[in-house]
Amino acid sequence: MDIKSKIFYKKYLPIDEFVEKILYDPHNGYYVKHNPFNKQGDYITSPNISPIFSEIVSIWIVSLWNKFGKPKKINIVELGPGNGEMTRILSRSLKKFLKINSFEIFLYEKSISLVKLQKKRIKDPCVKWINDFNKIKGGPVIFIGNEFFDAVPVKQFQKKDNVIKEKNLFLEANKIKNRYLKISKNLERYLNKFKTINSNKFFEFPLKGLKIMDIIIKVIKRFNGAILLIDYGYTIKSEKSSLQSVKNHKYNKLFSNLGDADISSLVNFKLLEEYFKSKKLKVNNIIDQGKFLKTLGIIERADILSNNMNFKDKADLYYRVKRLIHPKEMGSLFKVIQVFSHK
Ligand SMILES: C[S@@+](CC[C@H](N)C(=O)[O-])C[C@H]1O[C@@H](n2cnc3c(N)ncnc32)[C@H](O)[C@@H]1O
């Protein structure tokens, strides 16, 4: 049975259920069959562009540890660690600042094949895998996610005459079609609470992503902590679908190569900010990735690293740093949200 017929065993599928199956179906899902990272994969992420990215994130963690009053122990959770590259570098860098056994890194990963890859690449006693945040028994707990939120499927809605309907997909003569269907009163009430999307005729909503955040928030309220999310996204009103599919580093038609191409969406950062504030958390201004990395010293770090490099390696390092910080590359499209518990 092909993936399309298998997925549409029910007549209608909300967008997030459809994307979830395409990405994580246990036999045919994209993240089960493919290693998406780097040249031989479909896309490249910041930690894989240069280790300097994760070094800067480790500086952010150390400065936070300092603000928390230098606790004897901190727990770090990486959300959606992909091929594990960020944690590999974080662990190495943090050991330069923090005592052995004073931190643990927990990896929270949905794809079984990526967990296998991470376990192959990371042999470090301070790194552990979890699928339940309640297993964390103390804090402060620092959650970090690079390109995590964009990979958690979103729902899509239309609002007409104050009635909200959800976009659903169905299969007809082997073609994927869509139809907007009524939603429950409870869901409608919940969606109407968000000012960021209130005047939209069309909007995306990360219901699955926020359910994960709900659990994370309970942990950081209980033990003290923070959340750092870095992702591609927007901060102004948008009424367009942001779903995108990528294969071999090129855009792919959304419904082509199902199960063999990645599907993600842009993160609505203002909506995230509104959600975190509604939970009485402290949220710093959303900033561009370029500003975040520059403020924490990426250029100075590159200058130090380049001192002992030959010309070719130096050029390569600055080329990679430019990719991360330049407004026309990842510097502006990628945004950063930093959330703190109030304790
Ligand atoms: C775009 S990749 C980013 C990987 C990595 N953070 C990086 O920057 O290279 C998204 C990651 O999030 C994971 N992921 C997506 N949804 C998840 C969920 N609900 N729970 C745990 N991991 C998830 C994916 O399997 C993948 O590892």
Side-chain angles (χ1 to χ4, degrees), residues 24 31 37 43 45 47-48 78 80-82 108-111 114 146-148 150-152 212:
Y24 298 103
Y31 277 102
F37 304 96
Y43 58 80
T45 57
N48 291 292
E78 188 185 349
Y108 178 72
E109 173 58 62
K110 189 179 176 93
S111 153
L114 285 181
N146 182 65
E147 289 203 41
F148 166 70
D150 73 61
V152 184
I212 300 173

Side-chain angles (χ1 to χ4, degrees), residues 20 23-24 30-32 36-38 43-49 53-54 78-86 107-112 114-115 118 130-131 133 144-153 208-209 212 230-232 262-264 334:
E20 176 100 16
L23 298 181
Y24 298 103
Y30 173 72
Y31 277 102
V32 176
F37 304 96
N38 298 329
Y43 58 80
I44 185 157
T45 57
S46 300
N48 291 292
I49 289 178
F53 175 84
S54 310
E78 188 185 349
L79 303 166
N83 63 358
E85 186 58 18
M86 173 133 91
L107 300 187
Y108 178 72
E109 173 58 62
K110 189 179 176 93
S111 153
I112 297 165
L114 285 181
V115 168
Q118 292 152 14
I130 46 163
N131 46 28
F133 299 130
I144 48 178
N146 182 65
E147 289 203 41
F148 166 70
F149 215 75
D150 73 61
V152 184
K208 284 180 188 286
I212 300 173
I230 305 174
D231 226 310
Y232 42 84
D262 182 40
I263 300 180
S264 62
F334 278 69

Side-chain angles (χ1 to χ4, degrees), residues 55-74:
E55 287 183 355
I56 297 299
V57 173
S58 75
I59 289 171
W60 183 84
I61 293 174
V62 172
S63 78
L64 203 57
W65 167 78
N66 205 19
K67 278 202 187 115
F68 282 135
K70 301 187 179 169
K72 282 208 176 86
K73 178 91 197 275
I74 53 165

Side-chain angles (χ1 to χ4, degrees), residues 49-295:
I49 289 178
S50 170
I52 204 167
F53 175 84
S54 310
E55 287 183 355
I56 297 299
V57 173
S58 75
I59 289 171
W60 183 84
I61 293 174
V62 172
S63 78
L64 203 57
W65 167 78
N66 205 19
K67 278 202 187 115
F68 282 135
K70 301 187 179 169
K72 282 208 176 86
K73 178 91 197 275
I74 53 165
N75 289 315
I76 297 151
V77 183
E78 188 185 349
L79 303 166
N83 63 358
E85 186 58 18
M86 173 133 91
T87 280
R88 253 171 34 84
I89 304 298
L90 280 186
S91 170
R92 192 179 78 189
S93 310
L94 288 174
K95 282 179 190 141
K96 295 189 180 145
F97 297 97
L98 306 175
K99 283 190 189 141
I100 295 268
N101 296 329
S102 66
F103 69 92
E104 273 186 301
I105 306 181
F106 295 93
L107 300 187
Y108 178 72
E109 173 58 62
K110 189 179 176 93
S111 153
I112 297 165
S113 39
L114 285 181
V115 168
K116 275 193 198 142
L117 176 67
Q118 292 152 14
K119 289 192 169 162
K120 216 159 101 186
R121 297 192 72 217
I122 307 170
K123 307 270 180 217
D124 185 332
C126 71
V127 178
K128 302 200 166 86
W129 280 259
I130 46 163
N131 46 28
D132 177 1
F133 299 130
N134 292 317
K135 295 213 168 110
I136 298 173
K137 296 289 177 222
V141 191
I142 299 173
F143 289 86
I144 48 178
N146 182 65
E147 289 203 41
F148 166 70
F149 215 75
D150 73 61
V152 184
V154 292
K155 286 184 172 295
Q156 295 188 331
F157 297 98
Q158 178 192 69
K159 195 172 187 181
K160 233 187 202 168
D161 306 323
N162 267 335
V163 177
I164 300 177
K165 289 187 175 173
E166 178 171 7
K167 191 171 182 177
N168 279 256
L169 301 175
F170 64 100
L171 202 59
E172 194 176 82
N174 210 31
K175 286 221 163 76
I176 298 177
K177 304 204 164 161
N178 72 72
R179 181 165 294 162
Y180 283 89
L181 300 176
K182 274 189 174 170
I183 58 171
S184 72
K185 285 283 157 214
N186 268 350
L187 180 57
E188 193 167 57
R189 256 193 304 273
Y190 177 67
L191 295 173
N192 273 327
K193 282 188 194 157
F194 289 88
K195 289 201 187 78
T196 312
I197 46 174
N198 215 277
S199 64
N200 282 41
K201 293 189 183 80
F202 172 92
F203 61 89
E204 292 184 330
F205 194 88
L207 198 68
K208 284 180 188 286
L210 295 190
K211 279 195 178 143
I212 300 173
M213 289 300 136
D214 280 342
I215 310 171
I216 289 176
I217 288 170
K218 281 193 187 122
V219 175
I220 66 168
K221 283 197 167 174
R222 186 162 170 219
F223 296 123
N224 215 0
I227 309 168
L228 174 73
L229 296 175
I230 305 174
D231 226 310
Y232 42 84
Y234 54 97
T235 50
I236 49 170
K237 183 173 171 177
S238 168
E239 295 188 290
K240 285 192 303 218
S241 168
S242 76
L243 284 186
Q244 59 183 35
S245 172
V246 171
K247 185 168 163 55
N248 293 330
H249 300 265
K250 290 196 187 92
Y251 286 112
N252 171 64
K253 274 194 195 148
L254 193 56
F255 296 138
S256 302
N257 300 303
L258 291 174
D260 294 314
D262 182 40
I263 300 180
S264 62
S265 55
L266 297 189
V267 175
N268 183 342
F269 274 87
K270 278 282 168 197
L271 183 68
L272 265 185
E273 180 182 48
E274 183 183 353
Y275 163 80
F276 286 126
K277 285 188 171 164
S278 76
K279 301 283 177 185
K280 308 266 177 290
L281 294 161
K282 184 179 169 345
V283 187
N284 276 13
N285 287 341
I286 298 158
I287 53 172
D288 290 348
Q289 169 168 298
K291 183 171 180 190
F292 175 78
L293 295 175
K294 281 192 281 184
T295 308

